[in-house]
Amino acid sequence: MRYRFTRRRVLVRACSPLALALSLAAAPAVAQTVSDAPVNLDLGSVLATATGAAADLVHTPGTAPYEAPSKAPLNSSQPTSQVTHNTISNMTTGTESFADIARLTPSVSTIDPNGPGLQESNGPVLRGFQDGQYNVTFDGIPFGDSNDFTHHSTSFFAAHQIGQMIIDRGPGTAETVGDATFGGTMSIRTIDPSAQRSVTPYGEWGSWDTNIGGVTLNTGSIQSANGTSAVIDAEHMQSNGGKTNTPQERSNFFGKVMVPVNAGTVVTVMVDYNKLFQSFDTGATAAQMAMYGSDYGNSTDPTSQGYYKYNTDHITTDMEYIDLQSNFGNGWLYDGKLYTYAYDHRGMNGVDPTQGIIAGNVVTTTGTIVSGVPLQQMEMAYRSFGTIQRLQKNLSFGDVKTGLWYDWQYNTRFQGEYVYVAGQGILPNYTGYPSPTPGNYGQIDRLQHNQLYTLQPYGQIDWKPIDGLTLTAGVKYSMFRRTMDAPYNQGTQTALGYDHTWGKLLPSAEVRYAFNPNFTVYAQAAEGFLAPNMKILYIPNPSNSNFKPETTINFQAGGTYQNQNLALSADVYNIHFQNYMQKVSAGPNSYYTNIGGVIYRGIEGEAAYTLGYGLTAFANAGYNEAFQTGTKDYVAQAPQGTANFGLIYDKDGLYASIMDQWTGGEYSGNGGTGTTATNPYANSPAVGKSPGGWYDPYNVVNLAVAYTFNHADPNRTPVKVKLNVDNLTNNKQVIFDQGYFGVNGDQLAYTSLTGISAFVNLEVPINF
């Protein structure tokens, strides 16, 4: 993933077309049955472990576990939060992304630069860990950019297709796989086919000329096909965006087929396709905000680098999988998946979108010098192929588990310098802007062909010596191999060929004790390991570097309690981050190196209580510290706390909620000492040393009201109408800066809240 908040961008072009994905769909697909298992195994109903009356409370309307926006599953063995479909369908808008849903849980923060889900999120941040330092999985499949393991919150699927999310705030056990397990896992679970056959047209209309139109088809159980069921969802969304001149348009297709082969075997096939176009917002300077207001995004002046037609993305993605889940009998359980996904991104941006009319010089192939608007064009294209294989044997003393994850991704990255010349179009910039300094802006900034091979075999034992007690021990071997064939390496603009393999054994141990079906406590110790980011290769000879992969040692303990009226959980954690990577500035020879350790520690909790008469009060919060062990400087872009609290009314078809989302203060890493002298929107830091501008805490209050007509009559269509009002208090606070721009690199670009917005949603299911 590339952040637009820096002066350079990555361009992505997708590899294979959707046809490859559809060809896979002819085979059995990776099934994702929504379960409450806190681990990200996606084993579905065949391997489900949460059973009994206490575990069923989360599916029982009116109970605290059901109504709570975020709750810890009773079988948690590490700090875990679950957001169910009930919350997603009622509290969130149709534009929102998985990042906005994850924000409902403790210690997760995210910034929507252009309104809810209307641009790629800045983040999310989990306990201070940045995107790229934790996993995101889709139906159990780890996915992301191989260059830095980051994710694109708006690029793969729509909110309407998310059945639930499970946020694991920790590395998990040996069987938790992914490129960045040490920071945790955000697990996205897609919707399953429903038991009722129906067609559901739906629409949403709201602020900034936003509209969504879609239809969902559920086949129900097809008895002539052994109970096969399917769900298909097609959706189109368009919006002008929360900032000026920042439109987005997105089309999405999702399909899932589940085929019961016999009483213990299910085959699932899933296909997802997404196409997106947007003019993105990179933030605004203090001068621009003073002149045009806090909602300034892009201009309509074609002589400006901030012209909205110069700052655009065209992104196409697809994801497909086939899964076989089977209970072979005699305690043998199996889950095997094959998958592929691709990301194709072609984009353009002004070299400095915060600037107005600044000319760049172009030397054409004939030697003629002309002037125009300096631009960059980028491409980034990759495809991954992989498999996850799991085998489990249930024995009298517990469970023995083994398996592996293998993934191969081929990634092409390009960025070049161009100039728009009136009457001639966009021409290659052979001289560079602002000067042809080597390593600064040449005609080609980067052209790389990269590959990442990942192999993670594991073994684990869950020993149950007495009733209620589970002792878990396991080990995973994490192996990463990077290869690079770069005619123009990023940072040096010189050719580079490179091939290196890293590996490490990662042990983990857990203890979980259930005092009774309603109350569980746990403790965990585990190691984490992060494959080196591509940034370490942006030097003339990476083979001479003594860079070490980043690792963590994690210690966590907590507990969860649930009954009909109360859902309660709490945990504490201490994480020692070793070999922390940071950029060392040395002009055109800037590079990344290890600078020592970081301590992450904190306390988190969730609670929901039913007050009667359909009312439920809820709250969750996280207090988070992240600081370097040597200097004691706080880590930038790590809010020092989060909280969500409010009330829910859910009775007789009426659902209403009001929620206050609070994000603690944080340092941006920019803005000098964090004083108003260097950063007009920063304040003096409250505590600790400042690694950049300090931004004060802020609150956003969200309201949701929904009513389901005919909710008590199974013979009539249950039409649902919903109103979401986000940022009810119209808070437009500047909450972050996105880095330096300007000819001299001395202008900060800021992001502010987008102000109040309202969206109305209508769903009309038609049973047949």
Side-chain angles (χ1 to χ4, degrees):
M1 175 187 203
R2 50 90 196 84
Y3 288 98
R4 300 192 177 285
F5 319 119
T6 59
R7 295 181 64 194
R8 297 196 176 197
R9 302 173 56 236
V10 180
L11 168 60
V12 186
R13 172 199 289 176
C15 293
S16 316
L18 181 62
L20 174 61
L22 293 175
S23 68
L24 282 179
V30 184
Q32 156 57 38
T33 300
V34 172
S35 72
D36 300 328
V39 291
N40 295 287
L41 306 186
D42 183 29
L43 299 182
S45 58
V46 174
L47 303 188
T49 57
T51 58
D56 290 339
L57 289 173
V58 73
H59 305 298
T60 306
T63 66
Y66 178 86
E67 301 294 351
S70 171
K71 75 284 293 181
L74 281 168
N75 58 348
S76 298
S77 55
Q78 66 173 328
T80 302
S81 295
Q82 177 187 20
V83 183
T84 62
H85 189 257
N86 174 61
T87 295
I88 295 171
S89 62
N90 284 308
M91 275 194 170
T92 64
T93 70
T95 64
E96 294 185 28
S97 69
F98 75 84
D100 301 296
I101 298 170
R103 173 66 181 86
L104 297 172
T105 67
S107 299
V108 177
S109 64
T110 189
I111 294 174
D112 285 321
N114 196 34
L118 297 177
Q119 186 174 311
E120 201 165 285
S121 296
N122 184 2
V125 176
L126 174 61
R127 285 180 168 177
F129 287 100
Q130 307 299 305
D131 188 18
Q133 295 179 324
Y134 54 79
N135 287 328
V136 177
T137 65
F138 184 82
D139 283 356
I141 300 169
F143 74 100
D145 299 358
S146 61
N147 59 301
D148 60 3
F149 311 118
T150 53
H151 309 89
H152 305 275
S153 59
T154 59
S155 295
F156 277 93
F157 33 81
H160 200 77
Q161 297 141 13
I162 298 177
Q164 68 169 320
M165 282 196 67
I166 297 176
I167 312 300
D168 289 342
R169 298 184 295 275
T173 61
E175 59 185 341
T176 305
V177 296
D179 286 317
T181 58
F182 76 172
T185 298
M186 296 186 180
S187 176
I188 302 164
R189 310 282 183 100
T190 58
I191 56 175
D192 282 328
S194 69
Q196 178 64 54
R197 186 170 54 182
S198 64
V199 173
T200 305
Y202 61 89
E204 188 163 320
W205 305 267
S207 298
W208 314 308
D209 291 328
T210 301
N211 62 80
I212 298 175
V215 61
T216 304
L217 168 66
N218 273 285
T219 65
S221 178
I222 304 173
Q223 297 307 310
S224 60
N226 200 32
T228 295
S229 59
V231 58
I232 297 173
D233 183 77
E235 176 180 301
H236 181 77
M237 185 275 290
Q238 60 184 32
S239 174
N240 288 336
K243 300 296 177 68
T244 57
N245 305 304
T246 55
Q248 184 188 84
E249 186 171 359
R250 184 170 69 225
S251 298
N252 182 273
F253 172 85
F254 168 85
K256 179 190 281 188
V257 181
M258 303 182 72
V259 183
V261 178
N262 54 45
T265 302
V266 177
V267 172
T268 304
V269 179
M270 192 284 300
V271 175
D272 180 80
Y273 174 81
N274 196 82
K275 187 173 183 179
L276 178 146
F277 167 79
Q278 64 184 5
S279 293
F280 55 85
D281 169 51
T282 56
T285 65
Q288 288 172 328
M289 296 177 77
M291 181 175 296
Y292 304 112
S294 62
D295 64 347
Y296 177 78
N298 292 314
S299 79
T300 56
D301 182 359
T303 65
S304 165
Q305 295 179 71
Y307 183 44
Y308 75 102
K309 290 186 178 181
Y310 297 154
N311 295 278
T312 58
D313 289 321
H314 293 80
I315 302 172
T316 303
T317 64
D318 66 79
M319 179 178 287
E320 299 77 35
Y321 67 70
I322 179 171
D323 180 55
L324 172 65
Q325 297 176 350
S326 186
N327 184 336
F328 295 137
N330 197 29
W332 287 99
L333 306 172
Y334 170 76
D335 180 29
K337 299 181 179 179
L338 297 173
Y339 67 85
T340 182
Y341 65 88
Y343 178 80
D344 185 331
H345 180 180
R346 307 185 184 200
M348 179 170 62
N349 62 276
V351 171
D352 179 7
T354 67
Q355 295 296 313
I357 306 170
I358 295 181
N361 294 322
V362 176
V363 179
T364 67
T365 54
T366 62
T368 305
I369 299 177
V370 296
S371 295
V373 182
L375 308 171
Q376 292 172 333
Q377 289 190 336
M378 56 81 71
E379 295 184 17
M380 180 169 169
Y382 61 74
R383 180 169 288 278
S384 269
F385 296 92
T387 183
I388 303 174
Q389 299 291 321
R390 302 186 187 276
L391 185 65
Q392 177 174 325
K393 172 64 173 174
N394 296 337
L395 300 169
S396 59
F397 62 84
D399 307 320
V400 177
K401 304 174 181 178
T402 187
L404 63 84
W405 171 52
Y406 174 78
D407 185 271
W408 169 65
Q409 185 177 119
Y410 183 88
N411 188 337
T412 296
R413 304 173 70 232
F414 166 81
Q415 180 174 287
E417 301 298 317
Y418 295 82
V419 172
Y420 173 78
V421 179
Q424 299 186 49
I426 298 175
L427 306 176
N429 188 343
Y430 286 90
T431 62
Y433 168 80
S435 65
T437 304
N440 190 7
Y441 290 93
Q443 180 194 359
I444 298 179
D445 300 323
R446 62 173 169 263
L447 177 57
Q448 302 169 329
H449 306 290
N450 311 311
Q451 298 183 72
L452 177 67
Y453 302 84
T454 306
L455 177 64
Q456 292 182 359
Y458 69 86
Q460 181 173 305
I461 297 177
D462 298 338
W463 180 37
K464 303 174 182 179
I466 60 174
D467 287 344
L469 177 64
T470 302
L471 304 176
T472 298
V475 64
K476 171 174 59 187
Y477 182 72
S478 186
M479 186 278 290
F480 301 91
R481 178 190 172 201
R482 281 200 182 278
T483 70
M484 176 189 284
D485 177 15
Y488 295 88
N489 190 20
Q490 184 169 333
T492 65
Q493 281 77 52
T494 58
L496 176 68
Y498 183 77
D499 189 327
H500 191 81
T501 300
W502 296 268
K504 183 174 174 46
L505 281 173
L506 300 173
S508 63
E510 294 182 346
V511 55
R512 183 175 77 238
Y513 183 70
F515 289 93
N516 56 55
N518 301 87
F519 180 35
T520 304
V521 296
Y522 58 83
Q524 180 194 52
E527 286 193 45
F529 177 67
L530 182 65
N533 191 302
M534 283 285 294
K535 293 176 181 178
I536 69 166
L537 306 183
Y538 301 159
I539 56 178
N541 190 355
S543 299
N544 294 335
S545 172
N546 60 357
F547 178 86
K548 298 178 181 179
E550 296 171 311
T551 62
T552 57
I553 301 176
N554 303 260
F555 298 96
Q556 308 186 98
T560 182
Y561 176 83
Q562 291 181 9
N563 64 22
Q564 183 169 345
N565 298 314
L566 177 65
L568 182 66
S569 65
D571 67 85
V572 295
Y573 67 93
N574 188 286
I575 303 171
H576 188 188
F577 190 141
Q578 299 168 307
N579 304 323
Y580 186 67
M581 185 178 74
Q582 183 168 295
K583 184 177 181 179
V584 176
S585 296
N589 299 314
S590 297
Y591 63 97
Y592 286 81
T593 188
N594 302 122
I595 64 169
V598 175
I599 296 295
Y600 292 80
R601 64 190 181 193
I603 183 170
E604 300 158 327
E606 300 174 278
Y609 184 74
T610 56
L611 304 172
Y613 306 101
L615 280 174
T616 301
F618 67 89
N620 66 61
Y623 171 74
N624 315 109
E625 288 187 342
F627 58 88
Q628 297 180 28
T629 55
T631 64
K632 305 302 180 184
D633 281 359
Y634 280 88
V635 172
Q637 302 181 41
Q640 297 177 2
T642 69
N644 300 281
F645 54 92
L647 285 170
I648 293 172
Y649 178 85
D650 189 3
K651 190 176 182 181
D652 296 332
L654 177 62
Y655 181 98
S657 70
I658 186 163
M659 175 176 59
D660 190 331
Q661 293 190 301
W662 177 84
T663 301
E666 62 183 307
Y667 299 102
S668 71
N670 302 305
T673 61
T675 64
T676 55
T678 57
N679 185 340
Y681 289 104
N683 298 290
S684 298
V687 290
K689 297 181 180 180
S690 171
W694 167 266
Y695 290 85
D696 281 339
Y698 61 92
N699 294 71
V700 175
V701 179
N702 297 330
L703 172 71
V705 179
Y707 186 75
T708 303
F709 296 88
N710 307 321
H711 61 279
D713 188 347
N715 299 316
R716 301 181 65 185
T717 298
V719 176
K720 182 177 179 179
V721 178
K722 182 179 64 168
L723 169 68
N724 290 90
V725 182
D726 288 355
N727 196 358
L728 193 62
T729 61
N730 199 32
N731 184 359
K732 295 187 177 182
Q733 179 178 333
V734 173
I735 57 175
F736 205 68
D737 66 64
Q738 308 296 358
Y740 285 106
F741 291 83
V743 176
N744 300 315
D746 58 356
Q747 296 292 317
L748 283 170
Y750 298 97
T751 290
S752 62
L753 296 172
T754 49
I756 189 171
S757 60
F759 302 88
V760 175
N761 180 279
L762 174 65
E763 295 183 6
V764 186
I766 303 170
N767 299 328
F768 63 96

